[in-house]
């Protein structure tokens, strides 16, 4: 079953604007990751946040994690056309667990 | 060099046929995975091998059989293909579980006619 649910399903923004998407999950997690998938390509890891962390930054990406609400957000600042892609959150539920559960993704379109 | 490579990229076949998808990773990882992504982009784990040992075997029809000849390769064989098998199949790999980051191949788009 899908662990994560992304919101919104789709997002269209102008280049230079910020894009925010959310992920909610159902059970306790060990880590939460965000992946990007460009059209016709495989998923690429963006950032990982551990369950004991609340915020993490990587370049133009900012991820927050609220374990009390079982939710995470991904913020992409100053978006570019190249950010057009689908974004997925993925969780692993247990220590030493190989299994990732993915959400359905948010499709982001950045208009030039 | 491509880290995780899958072949073929596209596979068009008739119902009832048997087909295989191959995956190779040159990252030195010990764990490999097969995922199925449907038309709504839901990504579902199918199988995982760690050091050639099957560790994840989700509820998948037994027409699907993974084979891992060594740590760097994980193939997927599908018997008696059905229309519902049409999807994109992704191979991925990771190293251990302390940092569970997975590296994905570009996918194989399977179309069953």
């Amino acid at each position: 079953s899908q662990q994560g649910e992304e919101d919104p399903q789709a997002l269209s923004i102008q280049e230079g604007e910020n894009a925010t998407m959310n992920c909610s999950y159902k059970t306790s997690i060990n880590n939460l990751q965000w992946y990007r998938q460009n059209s016709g390509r495989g998923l690429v890891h963006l950032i990982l946040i551990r369950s004991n962390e609340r915020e993490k930054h990587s370049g133009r990406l900012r991820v927050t994690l609220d374990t009390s609400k079982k939710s995470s957000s991904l913020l992409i600042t100053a978006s570019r056309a190249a950010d057009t892609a689908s974004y997925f959150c993925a969780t692993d539920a247990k220590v030493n667990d190989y299994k990732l559960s993915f959400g359905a993704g948010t499709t982001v379109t950045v208009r030039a | 060099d491509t880290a995780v490579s899958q072949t073929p990229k596209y596979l068009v076949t008739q119902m009832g046929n048997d087909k295989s998808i191959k995956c190779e990773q040159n990252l030195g990882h010990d764990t490999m995975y097969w995922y199925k992504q449907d038309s709504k982009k839901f990504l579902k784990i199918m199988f995982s091998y760690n050091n050639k040992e099957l560790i994840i075997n989700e509820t998948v029809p037994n027409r699907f059989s993974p084979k891992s000849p060594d740590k760097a390769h994980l193939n997927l064989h599908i018997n008696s293909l059905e229309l519902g098998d049409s999807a994109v199949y992704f191979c991925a790999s990771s190293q251990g579980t302390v940092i569970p980051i997975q590296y994905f191949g570009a996918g194989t788009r399977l179309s069953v006619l």
Side-chain angles (χ1 to χ4, degrees), chain B residues 12-29:
Chain B
V12 181
T13 188
Q14 299 289 329
M15 266 196 322
N17 284 349
D18 303 339
K19 290 293 178 186
S20 291
I21 307 172
K22 295 186 176 182
C23 180
E24 176 182 3
Q25 54 94 4
N26 63 6
L27 297 168
H29 288 167

Side-chain angles (χ1 to χ4, degrees), chain A residues 36-52:
Chain A
R36 182 188 74 230
Q37 184 180 30
N38 291 92
S39 180
R41 308 292 294 272
L43 279 73
V44 174
H45 170 80
L46 295 175
I47 195 164
L48 178 149
I49 187 165
R50 299 193 184 280
S51 59
N52 62 356

Side-chain angles (χ1 to χ4, degrees), chain B residues 26-98:
Chain B
N26 63 6
L27 297 168
H29 288 167
D30 60 6
T31 307
M32 296 183 72
Y33 310 80
W34 277 112
Y35 286 89
K36 179 181 180 180
Q37 187 174 46
D38 65 21
S39 57
K40 294 185 179 178
K41 294 191 176 178
F42 283 111
L43 197 66
K44 185 180 175 184
I45 181 75
M46 300 172 70
F47 303 104
S48 177
Y49 273 76
N50 172 256
N51 287 317
K52 300 198 300 175
E53 182 184 341
L54 183 65
I55 58 169
I56 296 175
N57 186 359
E58 292 293 283
T59 307
V60 175
N62 57 15
R63 297 181 295 103
F64 290 78
S65 54
K67 281 191 173 50
S68 181
D70 56 57
K71 281 196 323 180
H73 296 84
L74 180 61
N75 303 323
L76 182 65
H77 189 75
I78 316 170
N79 288 329
S80 304
L81 278 155
E82 299 178 357
L83 294 176
D85 297 333
S86 295
V88 183
Y89 292 84
F90 287 99
C91 176
S93 71
S94 69
Q95 178 59 37
T97 58
V98 175

Side-chain angles (χ1 to χ4, degrees), chain A residues 19-35:
Chain A
T20 300
M21 60 211 85
N22 303 297
C23 166
S24 59
Y25 55 91
K26 296 171 186 160
T27 60
S28 295
I29 63 168
N30 197 32
N31 304 284
L32 185 143
Q33 303 180 56
W34 286 90
Y35 286 79

